[in-house]
């Protein structure tokens, strides 16, 4: 068995978020689902960008957000994703490496642009996303390094990857290798719409015991199992997944492990400004606690604290020293 010298290998879409404050009428006028994620092509992305009010750009991407926060907490983490040799690609690479994440992918010289996501934040702090995946869709099995899987304790996959056939195949390769090397497989469902689009495969992966740790919010887990409540979904997931963390926004989270049910309250550092990436940051805090062999309740609280920081500002990347923030809260 290869020595586990790295905590986490995160595989995901490399995305730069373009964030703007908009009202609900704007969301409706562009036929977007409030609170959801819609896939768009480059031409639609350009038109939508032109219609946005003042914007702020931040590096994003579900798994990348989790990787950045995990590294900021002190964990060792590597990211696998695709960028183009363009301005957004350079921004994404610089931002991710600056958090301490190992990211060694060579930018593509040609092809679609680096992925970007228009994030529209309404006055209630809800985020609605329209994503042009760009070159992120070219992620493929050749990008999955066997040695990286072998040396990592956890491999983290985002559900959005299943929107690309080649990226989906990369996920399946990563899962197969993880099982071979005793690496724990972590999946975040990402979005209820994504679950609906790929319900058959995602359900098989979970129900057939391929996933060790599952992250989902209430809407996503109910979509996966066809359940009508979080409690009902918890019974379903307990039967086929060794550990699941199910979030409910301001209601906190429910951690499910076999017959154990651990309720963890939400944390708050003030008024919510933008919920973009809150689930990604919860996953980072929870996984960091897990990597440090903390009790499940403490893992959930770490997740809640990191998520609480993320909603106090625009964008998903932390703007405060997460280690210091957690030390202060624990004092």
């Amino acid at each position: 068995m290869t020595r586990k010298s790295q905590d986490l290998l995160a595989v995901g879409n490399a995305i730069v978020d373009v964030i703007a404050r908009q009202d609900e009428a704007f969301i409706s006028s562009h036929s977007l689902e409030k609170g959801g994620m819609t896939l768009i092509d480059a031409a639609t992305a350009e038109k939508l960008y032109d219609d946005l009010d003042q914007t702020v750009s931040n590096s994003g991407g579900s798994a990348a957000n989790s990787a950045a926060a995990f590294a900021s907490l002190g964990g060792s983490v590597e990211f696998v994703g695709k960028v183009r040799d363009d301005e957004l690609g350079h921004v994404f690479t610089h931002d991710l490496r600056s958090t301490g994440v190992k990211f060694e992918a060579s930018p593509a010289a040609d092809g679609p642009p680096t992925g970007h996501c228009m994030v529209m934040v309404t006055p209630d702090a809800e985020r609605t996303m329209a994503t042009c995946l760009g070159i992120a869709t070219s992620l493929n099995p050749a990008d999955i390094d066997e040695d990286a899987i072998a040396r990592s304790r956890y491999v983290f996959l985002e559900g959005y990857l299943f929107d690309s056939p080649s990226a989906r195949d990369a996920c399946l390769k990563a899962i197969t290798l993880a099982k071979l090397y005793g690496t724990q497989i972590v999946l975040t469902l990402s979005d209820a719409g994504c679950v609906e689009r790929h319900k058959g495969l995602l359900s098989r992966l979970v129900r057939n015991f391929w996933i060790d740790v599952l992250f989902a919010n209430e809407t996503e887990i109910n979509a996966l199992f066809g359940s009508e409540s979080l409690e009902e979904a918890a019974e379903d997931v307990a039967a086929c997944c060794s550990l699941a963390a199910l979030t409910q926004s301001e209601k906190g989270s429910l951690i499910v492990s076999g017959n154990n049910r651990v309720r963890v309250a939400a944390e708050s550092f003030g008024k919510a400004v933008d919920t973009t990436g809150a689930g990604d940051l919860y996953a980072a805090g929870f996984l960091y606690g897990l990597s440090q062999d903390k009790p499940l309740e403490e893992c959930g609280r770490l997740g809640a604290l990191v998520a609480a920081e993320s909603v106090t500002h625009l964008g998903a990347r932390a703007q405060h020293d997460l280690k210091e923030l957690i030390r202060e809260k624990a004092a």
Side-chain angles (χ1 to χ4, degrees):
M1 183 69 68
T2 304
R3 187 174 69 88
K4 302 299 186 183
S5 58
Q6 179 169 271
D7 293 322
L8 184 68
L9 179 72
V11 185
N13 291 320
I15 302 288
V16 175
D17 291 336
V18 180
I19 307 167
R21 297 182 187 276
Q22 304 289 164
D23 58 22
E24 297 198 17
F26 182 92
I27 306 298
S28 298
S29 68
H30 288 79
S31 302
L32 299 171
E33 179 186 354
K34 186 173 182 287
M37 191 281 287
T38 302
L39 292 173
I40 58 176
D41 58 25
T44 304
E46 185 174 352
K47 182 180 185 306
L48 183 57
Y49 178 80
D50 289 340
D51 290 345
L52 292 174
D53 294 335
Q54 186 175 0
T55 62
V56 175
S57 294
N58 287 308
S59 294
S62 178
N65 289 336
S66 298
F70 189 93
S72 297
L73 288 166
S76 56
V77 54
E78 181 176 353
F79 178 74
V80 178
K82 289 279 197 179
V83 295
R84 172 78 187 279
D85 188 8
D86 56 17
E87 183 178 355
L88 290 181
H90 299 159
V91 167
F92 179 89
T93 300
H94 173 271
D95 287 354
L96 192 61
R97 288 175 177 170
S98 71
T99 66
V101 175
K102 180 181 178 182
F103 180 45
E104 297 184 333
S106 298
D110 51 27
T114 296
H116 47 291
C117 177
M118 311 301 155
V119 183
M120 290 135 284
V121 182
T122 42
D124 60 356
E126 182 63 271
R127 91 289 182 268
T128 299
M129 300 180 292
T131 305
C132 174
L133 290 172
I135 203 161
T137 61
S138 67
L139 186 76
N140 63 79
D143 296 309
I144 303 299
D145 179 54
E146 184 170 350
D147 289 338
I149 297 279
R151 66 174 175 265
S152 300
R153 291 182 65 188
Y154 303 95
V155 58
F156 182 91
L157 306 171
E158 62 174 83
Y160 287 132
L161 289 170
F162 290 81
D163 282 321
S164 160
S166 65
R168 174 202 63 208
D169 291 344
C171 286
L172 297 179
K173 178 181 177 181
I175 289 170
T176 301
L177 289 172
K179 287 296 183 185
L180 178 65
Y181 287 105
T183 298
Q184 295 279 291
I185 302 162
V186 184
L187 174 67
T188 178
L189 291 182
S190 297
D191 177 81
C194 179
V195 174
E196 292 292 354
R197 289 192 295 275
H198 310 289
K199 186 173 181 177
L201 177 55
L202 291 172
S203 180
R204 288 195 298 275
L205 288 173
V206 174
R207 290 183 183 276
N208 291 335
F209 304 96
W210 285 95
I211 306 303
D212 298 297
V213 183
L214 182 69
F215 289 99
N217 65 28
E218 186 172 12
T219 306
E220 293 158 1
I221 199 68
N222 285 338
L224 183 69
F225 287 107
S227 47
E228 296 183 358
S229 69
L230 190 71
E231 289 70 23
E232 182 183 337
E235 294 302 311
D236 290 327
V237 76
C240 52
C241 192
S242 58
L243 180 60
L246 311 177
T247 59
Q248 291 181 288
S249 301
E250 70 279 357
K251 296 179 183 178
S253 59
L254 175 64
I255 302 168
V256 180
S257 179
N259 292 325
N260 294 333
R261 303 288 184 273
V262 180
R263 284 275 182 186
V264 178
E267 298 283 346
S268 175
F269 295 111
K271 182 181 178 181
V273 172
D274 175 17
T275 58
T276 304
D280 306 332
L281 277 288
Y282 177 94
F286 188 100
L287 280 176
Y288 180 72
L290 205 60
S291 74
Q292 301 299 302
D293 300 317
K294 302 290 186 183
L296 291 180
E297 185 174 7
E298 189 169 345
C299 292
R301 186 160 187 261
L302 283 171
L305 286 169
V306 178
E309 189 280 339
S310 75
V311 304
T312 61
H313 53 77
L314 287 177
R317 300 295 171 88
Q319 294 186 0
H320 300 85
D321 184 321
L322 292 179
K323 289 192 228 180
E324 184 61 30
L325 182 146
I326 287 170
R327 277 196 296 268
E328 290 176 359
K329 199 71 175 179

